[in-house]
Amino acid sequence: MKPVRTVARVMLSAIFVSSGIKVLLDPDSRAESAGRVTGRVGPWLEKVDPRLPTDTRTLIRIKGVADVVAGALLASGHLTRPAAGVLAAGLVPTTVAGHAFWAVPAEQRAAQRTQFLKNLGLLGGLLLAAADTEGRPGLAYRTTHAVDRSQRGLKRAVRTARREAKIATMSAAAGRKLG
């Protein structure tokens, strides 16, 4: 199953790496559509920390860098779950800004709906990649079973200690009778 996961991660990340590079080379090409989202996010970012960038061009570049880095991590198999989470989080505003089929004229609606559904499919793949433990048990499972194992070990140690104490008591009583 490992080769299938590897190929699937590379295929999934390719769109993010290539579009991230394209955005880094020409951020102005996305400025108009991104302005719908950055106009709403900018004031919120200023409230969080006035030092954070709020202009559309810089935010587009930050997202482009995040897409390239997270896509490369996903493709390489390193930090795949966090990388998929970053890509999924970035895909939501991209889809809302770029493919809002409900807000375009009727003649463009079918094309935008198709792109919206494509991004929805990509989001589903990223969510699967973010949840994929590659056949290994997750942290919650391992923690629960480690606790169970330690409780069983403790019970076994208590039983052994009681048995040894009983044997020691019987040996002492036998020694007093002989002595």
Side-chain angles (χ1 to χ4, degrees), residues 26-118:
D26 185 20
D28 295 326
S29 66
R30 306 282 171 96
E32 184 182 333
S33 63
R36 289 182 278 221
V37 173
T38 59
R40 294 180 186 166
V41 173
W44 179 77
L45 288 173
E46 285 179 358
K47 286 181 185 177
V48 171
D49 190 348
R51 296 173 294 181
L52 292 174
T54 57
D55 64 297
T56 301
R57 195 163 197 248
T58 305
L59 293 174
I60 290 171
R61 282 191 168 152
I62 290 170
K63 174 153 179 343
V65 168
D67 282 354
V68 170
V69 171
L73 286 172
L74 182 63
S76 68
H78 299 303
L79 301 171
T80 56
R81 295 175 77 188
V86 167
L87 292 172
L91 187 61
V92 172
T94 300
T95 303
V96 170
H99 307 299
F101 66 89
W102 54 89
V104 296
E107 60 272 0
Q108 297 175 357
R109 196 163 291 150
Q112 289 299 326
R113 186 179 299 122
T114 300
Q115 292 300 315
F116 180 85
L117 291 173
K118 176 205 56 135

Side-chain angles (χ1 to χ4, degrees), residues 109-133:
R109 196 163 291 150
Q112 289 299 326
R113 186 179 299 122
T114 300
Q115 292 300 315
F116 180 85
L117 291 173
K118 176 205 56 135
N119 281 9
L120 201 60
L122 286 172
L123 181 62
L126 289 170
L127 292 176
L128 283 173
D132 184 26
T133 59

